Amino acid sequence: MTTGPQSYDELRAAIQARLDRLAPGQQRIAQLLLTDPDGTALRTISDTAKRAGVHQSSVVRFASLFGLSGYPALVGLCREHLTGQAQLVSRFGRAEEQSRQEDLLAATLEHERQNLTRTITRIPPEQWEQAVELLATAESVHVMGLRKCLSVAELMAYLLRMVRPGVHLVSPVAGALVDELRDLRAGEVFAAVSIHRYTADTVRAFEEARRRGLHTIAFTDNEASPLARLADVTFTADCEGVTILRSVTAFITLVQALATGVALRNGTRSRDELLHDERLLEAFGVYAL
């Protein structure tokens, strides 16, 4: 059974991909969804049909065409999108308020401390050991994170490369994701970082890795995340911030600790990797001092 879009972004991408092939009435419905999702979130089916100049049954068929169970499911995706926009506005308002009070730095420090405490204390020891074992012993490790999560993925790949070979950062340019995933092999590890709103390429790559038999490790924001539903090991981090943008501080701490855990787990092998790196750094004059 085909699974329909799980978010408004996925619905938008699906509509855009088929827009030129839709019938005129369907195109009017599509344009309404693409240009005014917030309004659609609040409209009844009769209002939407009237605005698109179609019968209500056409709206129902449109939802079914994209794998949705009906108009309520279509509206649900638009409402999630509206909620996300409202949260962004709310975070902006909180940031402005903190700035006016001249204690933004202090508030941020305290908030991040709480994020870290909640994140670390809910990790079971056996889950931590499983992740360290997978990252230390797999023949290859693939790490992926896009948009805001790219910095976390880059740091994780960089740190793991320092203590073990065979680490690959999946960072596709436009249209090249398939090329990046071509060499995935069963038994390897695929670690992905994504928070709401979840990047479609990251989710698709994670699904492909699982389908091919790789061990999957997710770094995400809650158990309802599409990554959490697929992962062998899931780390959920508190990502709420006092400023406009969400926080990735807890993820940074996690990947640094995991890299250290891998180094300790591999012992001599990790020391050899570090010594080899130092010789190369010196030979190429990487650092000024």
Side-chain angles (χ1 to χ4, degrees), residues 150-207:
L150 175 61
S151 59
V152 181
E154 288 180 329
L155 178 63
M156 183 176 183
Y158 171 77
L159 293 176
L160 287 176
R161 283 195 195 112
M162 291 180 67
V163 297
R164 56 148 298 157
V167 179
H168 172 60
L169 177 66
V170 181
S171 54
V173 296
L177 180 59
V178 172
D179 300 312
E180 291 276 352
L181 303 179
R182 182 178 295 124
D183 296 329
L184 297 183
R185 297 289 182 268
E188 297 176 343
V189 169
F190 196 99
V193 190
S194 190
I195 60 178
H196 188 268
R197 295 175 288 173
Y198 313 100
T199 49
D201 275 352
T202 303
V203 176
R204 283 193 287 263
F206 208 64
E207 290 172 339

Short mmCIF file of all heavy atoms in Angstrom, two decimals, residues 150-207:
data_model
loop_
_atom_site.label_atom_id
_atom_site.label_comp_id
_atom_site.label_asym_id
_atom_site.label_seq_id
_atom_site.Cartn_x
_atom_site.Cartn_y
_atom_site.Cartn_z
N LEU A 150 23.30 20.11 9.05
CA LEU A 150 24.53 19.84 8.32
C LEU A 150 25.76 20.01 9.21
O LEU A 150 26.70 19.21 9.16
CB LEU A 150 24.64 20.75 7.10
CG LEU A 150 25.94 20.67 6.28
CD1 LEU A 150 26.14 19.26 5.72
CD2 LEU A 150 25.93 21.70 5.16
N SER A 151 25.76 21.05 10.04
CA SER A 151 26.94 21.29 10.88
C SER A 151 27.17 20.14 11.86
O SER A 151 28.32 19.77 12.14
CB SER A 151 26.76 22.60 11.66
OG SER A 151 25.60 22.55 12.48
N VAL A 152 26.09 19.54 12.38
CA VAL A 152 26.23 18.41 13.30
C VAL A 152 26.80 17.20 12.56
O VAL A 152 27.71 16.52 13.05
CB VAL A 152 24.87 18.04 13.93
CG1 VAL A 152 25.02 16.87 14.90
CG2 VAL A 152 24.27 19.24 14.64
N ALA A 153 26.28 16.94 11.35
CA ALA A 153 26.76 15.81 10.56
C ALA A 153 28.23 15.98 10.19
O ALA A 153 29.02 15.03 10.23
CB ALA A 153 25.90 15.65 9.31
N GLU A 154 28.61 17.20 9.80
CA GLU A 154 30.00 17.46 9.44
C GLU A 154 30.93 17.23 10.63
O GLU A 154 32.00 16.63 10.48
CB GLU A 154 30.15 18.89 8.92
CG GLU A 154 29.55 19.10 7.54
CD GLU A 154 29.72 20.52 7.06
OE1 GLU A 154 29.72 21.44 7.89
OE2 GLU A 154 29.83 20.72 5.83
N LEU A 155 30.52 17.70 11.80
CA LEU A 155 31.35 17.51 12.99
C LEU A 155 31.46 16.03 13.33
O LEU A 155 32.56 15.54 13.64
CB LEU A 155 30.75 18.27 14.17
CG LEU A 155 31.51 18.11 15.49
CD1 LEU A 155 32.93 18.67 15.38
CD2 LEU A 155 30.76 18.77 16.64
N MET A 156 30.36 15.30 13.25
CA MET A 156 30.38 13.88 13.58
C MET A 156 31.30 13.12 12.63
O MET A 156 32.12 12.30 13.07
CB MET A 156 28.96 13.31 13.51
CG MET A 156 28.89 11.84 13.92
SD MET A 156 27.18 11.23 13.95
CE MET A 156 27.47 9.55 14.54
N ALA A 157 31.19 13.39 11.34
CA ALA A 157 32.05 12.71 10.37
C ALA A 157 33.51 13.07 10.60
O ALA A 157 34.40 12.20 10.55
CB ALA A 157 31.62 13.08 8.95
N TYR A 158 33.78 14.33 10.87
CA TYR A 158 35.16 14.78 11.11
C TYR A 158 35.77 14.08 12.33
O TYR A 158 36.90 13.57 12.28
CB TYR A 158 35.17 16.30 11.30
CG TYR A 158 36.48 16.85 11.78
CD1 TYR A 158 37.56 17.01 10.90
CD2 TYR A 158 36.67 17.23 13.11
CE1 TYR A 158 38.77 17.51 11.33
CE2 TYR A 158 37.87 17.74 13.55
CZ TYR A 158 38.92 17.87 12.66
OH TYR A 158 40.13 18.37 13.10
N LEU A 159 35.02 14.05 13.43
CA LEU A 159 35.54 13.45 14.67
C LEU A 159 35.73 11.94 14.53
O LEU A 159 36.72 11.38 15.00
CB LEU A 159 34.60 13.76 15.83
CG LEU A 159 34.52 15.23 16.24
CD1 LEU A 159 33.48 15.42 17.33
CD2 LEU A 159 35.88 15.76 16.70
N LEU A 160 34.77 11.28 13.88
CA LEU A 160 34.90 9.84 13.70
C LEU A 160 36.07 9.49 12.79
O LEU A 160 36.76 8.48 13.00
CB LEU A 160 33.60 9.25 13.14
CG LEU A 160 32.42 9.17 14.11
CD1 LEU A 160 31.18 8.66 13.39
CD2 LEU A 160 32.76 8.26 15.30
N ARG A 161 36.31 10.32 11.78
CA ARG A 161 37.46 10.07 10.89
C ARG A 161 38.77 10.14 11.65
O ARG A 161 39.75 9.51 11.28
CB ARG A 161 37.49 11.09 9.76
CG ARG A 161 36.48 10.84 8.65
CD ARG A 161 36.81 11.67 7.43
NE ARG A 161 35.69 11.72 6.50
CZ ARG A 161 34.99 12.80 6.25
NH1 ARG A 161 35.28 13.94 6.85
NH2 ARG A 161 34.00 12.76 5.39
N MET A 162 38.81 10.92 12.71
CA MET A 162 40.04 11.05 13.50
C MET A 162 40.38 9.76 14.25
O MET A 162 41.55 9.51 14.56
CB MET A 162 39.91 12.21 14.50
CG MET A 162 39.87 13.58 13.87
SD MET A 162 39.72 14.89 15.11
CE MET A 162 41.31 14.74 15.94
N VAL A 163 39.35 8.96 14.55
CA VAL A 163 39.58 7.80 15.42
C VAL A 163 39.31 6.46 14.73
O VAL A 163 39.51 5.40 15.34
CB VAL A 163 38.73 7.91 16.70
CG1 VAL A 163 39.15 9.13 17.50
CG2 VAL A 163 37.24 7.97 16.39
N ARG A 164 38.86 6.50 13.47
CA ARG A 164 38.63 5.24 12.75
C ARG A 164 38.56 5.54 11.24
O ARG A 164 38.18 6.64 10.83
CB ARG A 164 37.34 4.56 13.20
CG ARG A 164 36.07 5.40 13.08
CD ARG A 164 34.85 4.53 12.79
NE ARG A 164 35.02 3.84 11.52
CZ ARG A 164 34.38 2.71 11.20
NH1 ARG A 164 33.54 2.16 12.06
NH2 ARG A 164 34.57 2.14 10.02
N PRO A 165 38.89 4.57 10.41
CA PRO A 165 38.80 4.76 8.96
C PRO A 165 37.37 4.47 8.48
O PRO A 165 36.51 4.00 9.23
CB PRO A 165 39.77 3.73 8.41
CG PRO A 165 39.71 2.61 9.41
CD PRO A 165 39.52 3.28 10.76
N GLY A 166 37.13 4.74 7.19
CA GLY A 166 35.88 4.34 6.56
C GLY A 166 34.67 5.16 6.94
O GLY A 166 33.56 4.63 7.00
N VAL A 167 34.87 6.47 7.17
CA VAL A 167 33.74 7.35 7.51
C VAL A 167 33.45 8.25 6.31
O VAL A 167 34.36 8.90 5.77
CB VAL A 167 34.05 8.20 8.76
CG1 VAL A 167 32.86 9.12 9.08
CG2 VAL A 167 34.36 7.30 9.95
N HIS A 168 32.18 8.32 5.92
CA HIS A 168 31.80 9.07 4.72
C HIS A 168 30.68 10.04 5.06
O HIS A 168 29.66 9.66 5.63
CB HIS A 168 31.32 8.10 3.63
CG HIS A 168 30.73 8.78 2.44
ND1 HIS A 168 31.44 9.67 1.65
CD2 HIS A 168 29.49 8.72 1.88
CE1 HIS A 168 30.66 10.10 0.67
NE2 HIS A 168 29.47 9.55 0.80
N LEU A 169 30.87 11.32 4.73
CA LEU A 169 29.83 12.32 4.90
C LEU A 169 28.96 12.35 3.66
O LEU A 169 29.44 12.61 2.56
CB LEU A 169 30.44 13.71 5.14
CG LEU A 169 29.45 14.87 5.27
CD1 LEU A 169 28.59 14.72 6.53
CD2 LEU A 169 30.18 16.20 5.28
N VAL A 170 27.68 12.07 3.82
CA VAL A 170 26.73 12.11 2.70
C VAL A 170 26.24 13.55 2.57
O VAL A 170 25.42 14.02 3.37
CB VAL A 170 25.55 11.15 2.94
CG1 VAL A 170 24.58 11.19 1.76
CG2 VAL A 170 26.04 9.74 3.17
N SER A 171 26.75 14.25 1.58
CA SER A 171 26.38 15.67 1.39
C SER A 171 26.11 15.92 -0.09
O SER A 171 26.93 16.50 -0.79
CB SER A 171 27.49 16.59 1.89
OG SER A 171 28.73 16.24 1.29
N PRO A 172 24.97 15.45 -0.58
CA PRO A 172 24.70 15.50 -2.01
C PRO A 172 24.46 16.91 -2.54
O PRO A 172 23.81 17.72 -1.88
CB PRO A 172 23.42 14.66 -2.15
CG PRO A 172 22.74 14.80 -0.83
CD PRO A 172 23.86 14.87 0.17
N VAL A 173 25.01 17.19 -3.72
CA VAL A 173 24.61 18.39 -4.45
C VAL A 173 23.28 18.07 -5.11
O VAL A 173 22.82 16.93 -5.11
CB VAL A 173 25.67 18.78 -5.50
CG1 VAL A 173 26.97 19.14 -4.81
CG2 VAL A 173 25.90 17.64 -6.50
N ALA A 174 22.65 19.07 -5.70
CA ALA A 174 21.31 18.89 -6.27
C ALA A 174 21.29 17.74 -7.28
O ALA A 174 22.10 17.69 -8.21
CB ALA A 174 20.86 20.18 -6.95
N GLY A 175 20.38 16.80 -7.06
CA GLY A 175 20.18 15.71 -7.99
C GLY A 175 21.16 14.56 -7.86
O GLY A 175 21.09 13.60 -8.62
N ALA A 176 22.09 14.62 -6.88
CA ALA A 176 23.15 13.62 -6.79
C ALA A 176 22.99 12.68 -5.60
O ALA A 176 23.92 11.95 -5.27
CB ALA A 176 24.51 14.30 -6.73
N LEU A 177 21.83 12.67 -4.95
CA LEU A 177 21.66 11.81 -3.79
C LEU A 177 21.83 10.34 -4.15
O LEU A 177 22.45 9.57 -3.41
CB LEU A 177 20.27 12.03 -3.17
CG LEU A 177 19.96 11.18 -1.93
CD1 LEU A 177 20.97 11.45 -0.82
CD2 LEU A 177 18.54 11.45 -1.43
N VAL A 178 21.30 9.93 -5.29
CA VAL A 178 21.43 8.53 -5.73
C VAL A 178 22.89 8.13 -5.85
O VAL A 178 23.28 7.03 -5.44
CB VAL A 178 20.70 8.31 -7.07
CG1 VAL A 178 20.99 6.93 -7.62
CG2 VAL A 178 19.19 8.49 -6.89
N ASP A 179 23.72 9.02 -6.37
CA ASP A 179 25.15 8.73 -6.49
C ASP A 179 25.80 8.55 -5.12
O ASP A 179 26.68 7.70 -4.93
CB ASP A 179 25.86 9.86 -7.25
CG ASP A 179 25.29 10.05 -8.64
OD1 ASP A 179 25.14 9.04 -9.34
OD2 ASP A 179 24.99 11.19 -9.01
N GLU A 180 25.37 9.36 -4.16
CA GLU A 180 25.92 9.27 -2.80
C GLU A 180 25.55 7.94 -2.13
O GLU A 180 26.30 7.44 -1.29
CB GLU A 180 25.39 10.43 -1.95
CG GLU A 180 25.92 11.79 -2.35
CD GLU A 180 27.27 12.08 -1.73
OE1 GLU A 180 27.71 11.31 -0.87
OE2 GLU A 180 27.88 13.11 -2.10
N LEU A 181 24.40 7.38 -2.49
CA LEU A 181 23.91 6.18 -1.82
C LEU A 181 24.26 4.89 -2.56
O LEU A 181 23.97 3.80 -2.06
CB LEU A 181 22.38 6.26 -1.67
CG LEU A 181 21.84 7.47 -0.91
CD1 LEU A 181 20.32 7.42 -0.85
CD2 LEU A 181 22.43 7.55 0.49
N ARG A 182 24.89 5.00 -3.70
CA ARG A 182 25.12 3.84 -4.55
C ARG A 182 25.92 2.74 -3.86
O ARG A 182 25.66 1.55 -4.03
CB ARG A 182 25.84 4.27 -5.84
CG ARG A 182 26.09 3.13 -6.82
CD ARG A 182 26.76 3.64 -8.08
NE ARG A 182 25.86 4.54 -8.81
CZ ARG A 182 26.18 5.79 -9.16
NH1 ARG A 182 27.36 6.30 -8.81
NH2 ARG A 182 25.33 6.54 -9.81
N ASP A 183 26.89 3.12 -3.05
CA ASP A 183 27.81 2.13 -2.49
C ASP A 183 27.45 1.66 -1.08
O ASP A 183 28.28 1.04 -0.40
CB ASP A 183 29.24 2.70 -2.48
CG ASP A 183 29.76 2.95 -3.89
OD1 ASP A 183 29.35 2.20 -4.81
OD2 ASP A 183 30.55 3.89 -4.07
N LEU A 184 26.25 1.94 -0.62
CA LEU A 184 25.84 1.45 0.69
C LEU A 184 25.82 -0.07 0.70
O LEU A 184 25.35 -0.70 -0.25
CB LEU A 184 24.44 1.97 1.05
CG LEU A 184 24.26 3.50 1.19
CD1 LEU A 184 22.82 3.80 1.60
CD2 LEU A 184 25.25 4.08 2.18
N ARG A 185 26.31 -0.66 1.79
CA ARG A 185 26.37 -2.12 1.90
C ARG A 185 25.77 -2.58 3.22
O ARG A 185 25.92 -1.93 4.25
CB ARG A 185 27.83 -2.60 1.81
CG ARG A 185 28.52 -2.30 0.49
CD ARG A 185 27.98 -3.16 -0.63
NE ARG A 185 28.67 -2.90 -1.89
CZ ARG A 185 28.28 -2.02 -2.80
NH1 ARG A 185 27.16 -1.31 -2.58
NH2 ARG A 185 28.96 -1.83 -3.92
N ALA A 186 25.10 -3.72 3.17
CA ALA A 186 24.51 -4.30 4.38
C ALA A 186 25.58 -4.48 5.46
O ALA A 186 26.72 -4.85 5.16
CB ALA A 186 23.86 -5.64 4.06
N GLY A 187 25.21 -4.20 6.69
CA GLY A 187 26.14 -4.34 7.80
C GLY A 187 26.89 -3.07 8.15
O GLY A 187 27.49 -2.98 9.23
N GLU A 188 26.89 -2.08 7.23
CA GLU A 188 27.50 -0.79 7.54
C GLU A 188 26.55 0.02 8.43
O GLU A 188 25.45 -0.44 8.76
CB GLU A 188 27.81 -0.05 6.24
CG GLU A 188 28.82 -0.77 5.36
CD GLU A 188 29.06 -0.09 4.03
OE1 GLU A 188 28.22 0.77 3.62
OE2 GLU A 188 30.07 -0.43 3.36
N VAL A 189 26.97 1.21 8.80
CA VAL A 189 26.15 2.07 9.66
C VAL A 189 25.78 3.34 8.91
O VAL A 189 26.62 3.94 8.23
CB VAL A 189 26.90 2.45 10.96
CG1 VAL A 189 26.15 3.54 11.72
CG2 VAL A 189 27.06 1.22 11.85
N PHE A 190 24.51 3.72 9.03
CA PHE A 190 24.05 4.99 8.46
C PHE A 190 23.49 5.82 9.61
O PHE A 190 22.51 5.43 10.24
CB PHE A 190 22.97 4.76 7.40
CG PHE A 190 22.71 5.95 6.52
CD1 PHE A 190 23.28 6.04 5.27
CD2 PHE A 190 21.90 6.99 6.96
CE1 PHE A 190 23.06 7.14 4.45
CE2 PHE A 190 21.67 8.10 6.16
CZ PHE A 190 22.25 8.18 4.89
N ALA A 191 24.14 6.95 9.91
CA ALA A 191 23.69 7.84 10.97
C ALA A 191 23.14 9.11 10.34
O ALA A 191 23.78 9.71 9.47
CB ALA A 191 24.85 8.19 11.91
N ALA A 192 21.95 9.52 10.75
CA ALA A 192 21.32 10.70 10.16
C ALA A 192 20.85 11.65 11.26
O ALA A 192 20.40 11.23 12.32
CB ALA A 192 20.15 10.29 9.28
N VAL A 193 20.95 12.95 10.95
CA VAL A 193 20.52 14.01 11.87
C VAL A 193 19.42 14.81 11.19
O VAL A 193 19.62 15.34 10.09
CB VAL A 193 21.68 14.95 12.24
CG1 VAL A 193 21.28 15.88 13.37
CG2 VAL A 193 22.95 14.18 12.57
N SER A 194 18.26 14.91 11.83
CA SER A 194 17.18 15.72 11.26
C SER A 194 16.18 16.08 12.35
O SER A 194 15.83 15.24 13.18
CB SER A 194 16.47 14.97 10.13
OG SER A 194 15.59 15.83 9.43
N ILE A 195 15.75 17.33 12.36
CA ILE A 195 14.73 17.80 13.29
C ILE A 195 13.62 18.47 12.50
O ILE A 195 13.77 18.80 11.33
CB ILE A 195 15.32 18.78 14.33
CG1 ILE A 195 15.91 20.01 13.65
CG2 ILE A 195 16.36 18.08 15.19
CD1 ILE A 195 16.46 21.06 14.62
N HIS A 196 12.48 18.63 13.13
CA HIS A 196 11.32 19.23 12.46
C HIS A 196 11.66 20.65 11.99
O HIS A 196 12.21 21.44 12.75
CB HIS A 196 10.15 19.29 13.45
CG HIS A 196 8.86 19.70 12.82
ND1 HIS A 196 8.44 21.02 12.77
CD2 HIS A 196 7.89 18.99 12.21
CE1 HIS A 196 7.27 21.09 12.17
NE2 HIS A 196 6.92 19.87 11.82
N ARG A 197 11.44 20.97 10.71
CA ARG A 197 10.80 20.15 9.69
C ARG A 197 11.82 19.27 8.99
O ARG A 197 12.80 19.76 8.48
CB ARG A 197 10.10 21.06 8.69
CG ARG A 197 8.94 21.84 9.37
CD ARG A 197 8.31 22.85 8.44
NE ARG A 197 9.21 23.96 8.22
CZ ARG A 197 8.94 24.92 7.32
NH1 ARG A 197 7.85 24.86 6.57
NH2 ARG A 197 9.78 25.93 7.16
N TYR A 198 11.56 17.97 8.96
CA TYR A 198 12.51 16.95 8.53
C TYR A 198 12.77 17.05 7.02
O TYR A 198 11.84 17.05 6.22
CB TYR A 198 11.99 15.57 8.90
CG TYR A 198 11.50 15.50 10.33
CD1 TYR A 198 10.15 15.57 10.62
CD2 TYR A 198 12.41 15.42 11.38
CE1 TYR A 198 9.70 15.56 11.93
CE2 TYR A 198 11.97 15.40 12.70
CZ TYR A 198 10.61 15.47 12.97
OH TYR A 198 10.18 15.47 14.27
N THR A 199 14.05 17.13 6.64
CA THR A 199 14.39 17.24 5.22
C THR A 199 14.07 15.92 4.50
O THR A 199 14.45 14.84 4.96
CB THR A 199 15.87 17.58 5.03
OG1 THR A 199 16.67 16.71 5.83
CG2 THR A 199 16.14 19.01 5.46
N ALA A 200 13.39 16.04 3.39
CA ALA A 200 12.90 14.87 2.66
C ALA A 200 14.05 13.97 2.20
O ALA A 200 13.96 12.74 2.27
CB ALA A 200 12.06 15.30 1.46
N ASP A 201 15.16 14.56 1.74
CA ASP A 201 16.29 13.75 1.26
C ASP A 201 16.89 12.93 2.39
O ASP A 201 17.29 11.77 2.18
CB ASP A 201 17.37 14.65 0.64
CG ASP A 201 17.09 14.97 -0.82
OD1 ASP A 201 16.16 14.37 -1.39
OD2 ASP A 201 17.79 15.82 -1.39
N THR A 202 16.96 13.50 3.59
CA THR A 202 17.51 12.76 4.72
C THR A 202 16.63 11.56 5.05
O THR A 202 17.12 10.45 5.28
CB THR A 202 17.65 13.67 5.96
OG1 THR A 202 18.47 14.78 5.63
CG2 THR A 202 18.27 12.90 7.12
N VAL A 203 15.33 11.77 5.06
CA VAL A 203 14.39 10.68 5.36
C VAL A 203 14.47 9.60 4.29
O VAL A 203 14.53 8.40 4.59
CB VAL A 203 12.95 11.21 5.49
CG1 VAL A 203 11.96 10.06 5.69
CG2 VAL A 203 12.85 12.19 6.66
N ARG A 204 14.51 10.01 3.02
CA ARG A 204 14.58 9.02 1.92
C ARG A 204 15.89 8.23 1.99
O ARG A 204 15.89 7.01 1.78
CB ARG A 204 14.45 9.73 0.58
CG ARG A 204 13.02 10.13 0.22
CD ARG A 204 12.92 10.53 -1.23
NE ARG A 204 13.53 11.82 -1.46
CZ ARG A 204 12.85 12.97 -1.51
NH1 ARG A 204 11.53 12.96 -1.31
NH2 ARG A 204 13.45 14.12 -1.73
N ALA A 205 16.99 8.90 2.27
CA ALA A 205 18.27 8.20 2.37
C ALA A 205 18.27 7.22 3.53
O ALA A 205 18.79 6.10 3.43
CB ALA A 205 19.41 9.22 2.53
N PHE A 206 17.68 7.61 4.64
CA PHE A 206 17.59 6.74 5.81
C PHE A 206 16.76 5.51 5.50
O PHE A 206 17.10 4.38 5.88
CB PHE A 206 16.97 7.53 6.97
CG PHE A 206 17.39 7.07 8.34
CD1 PHE A 206 18.70 7.17 8.75
CD2 PHE A 206 16.45 6.57 9.23
CE1 PHE A 206 19.08 6.76 10.02
CE2 PHE A 206 16.82 6.15 10.50
CZ PHE A 206 18.14 6.26 10.89
N GLU A 207 15.65 5.71 4.81
CA GLU A 207 14.79 4.59 4.40
C GLU A 207 15.56 3.63 3.48
O GLU A 207 15.45 2.40 3.61
CB GLU A 207 13.55 5.11 3.68
CG GLU A 207 12.57 5.84 4.60
CD GLU A 207 11.46 6.51 3.82
OE1 GLU A 207 11.63 6.76 2.60
OE2 GLU A 207 10.40 6.81 4.42
#
